[in-house]
Every structure is written in C-alpha cells, then in structure tokens.
Amino acid sequence: QAEIEKERQKYIGTPVTLETFTTWKQKFDEEMAQKSATADGKGLVKKSAHADKPTGRQLFEQDKSLAKSDDKYMNVDDVAIDASLIENELEDISSSEDEDDNSSRKVNGLE
C-alpha cells in the first residue's frame, strides 16, 4: 500500500487556483514578450523564410501564360470537366452528411 501511495504522489501536481494561475500567466507573458523581442528571431513566432517570395497562386494570377502551359500535355480526346458541377456535388454531399449527423443526434437524445 505504501508503494502505491508513493507512486500516486508522483502524479499529483499543484492545484490550479485563480492565484496560482494569475502568477503563472504573468510569468508566461513576460517570457513570451522576451522571446518575441529578441533580435535574432528565435522566439516562438517564426517568420517564414520565403515570406518575400510569391505563392504559386500569386504567380499563376500574375502570369497568364501559366494558364496555357499545361495545354501541351492535353490529348485531343481528353474531356473537359466543369469544376463547378463537382463543387456543387460536394456541397450537396456535405449538407446531407450534416443532416444525417443532426438526425442521429435527435435519435440518440443528444439534442
């Protein structure tokens, strides 16, 4: 029994009260302020190494020739697909899943 009680004591932490939380929060905020104020940028807030480079979407929107760049890979027999039809289909599927979730909650008494 003594061994079990000793083992149990290892996992008991400091009880959280308003006072202990406030003290911890002040120390934590001070540490975060110090880390973000460091000149070498080693804080938790990381800046992207590629922040000055445009994204693929931005490149695509700027250079209209990219819209036709894949045409050479298209075969004559390829079928064009209207993406809006697929999007509408996906929206219908997700809305029906939401309805199914709501109906199962009502059956199970969760609503």
Side-chain angles (χ1 to χ4, degrees):
Q1 279 300 25
E3 290 178 17
I4 294 173
E5 191 61 33
K6 188 182 287 187
E7 192 70 25
R8 193 175 285 159
Q9 289 296 325
K10 289 181 185 178
Y11 300 107
I12 296 176
T14 305
V16 178
T17 63
L18 182 59
E19 183 180 326
T20 58
F21 175 77
T22 307
T23 305
W24 169 83
K25 179 76 170 131
Q26 287 174 346
K27 289 178 184 177
F28 179 78
D29 288 342
E30 288 171 7
E31 288 176 17
M32 290 298 108
Q34 287 175 353
K35 285 185 178 184
S36 65
T38 56
D40 60 0
K42 290 186 180 178
L44 289 179
V45 180
K46 294 183 180 179
K47 293 182 181 177
S48 174
H50 306 288
D52 55 340
K53 294 173 87 175
T55 64
R57 180 179 182 157
Q58 291 168 336
L59 287 172
F60 184 77
E61 290 172 345
Q62 291 170 358
D63 188 359
K64 299 299 180 189
S65 68
L66 292 175
K68 299 287 182 184
S69 66
D70 288 343
D71 285 348
K72 59 186 171 194
Y73 300 112
M74 299 289 288
N75 293 329
V76 177
D77 299 332
D78 286 347
V79 178
I81 297 175
D82 186 2
S84 64
L85 296 175
I86 296 171
E87 291 172 358
N88 291 339
E89 197 65 31
L90 291 174
E91 288 174 5
D92 292 344
I93 291 171
S94 68
S95 66
S96 68
E97 287 176 352
D98 291 343
E99 291 172 5
D100 291 344
D101 289 346
N102 290 337
S103 64
S104 67
R105 287 182 181 169
K106 288 178 183 176
V107 169
N108 293 329
L110 297 174
E111 276 193 6

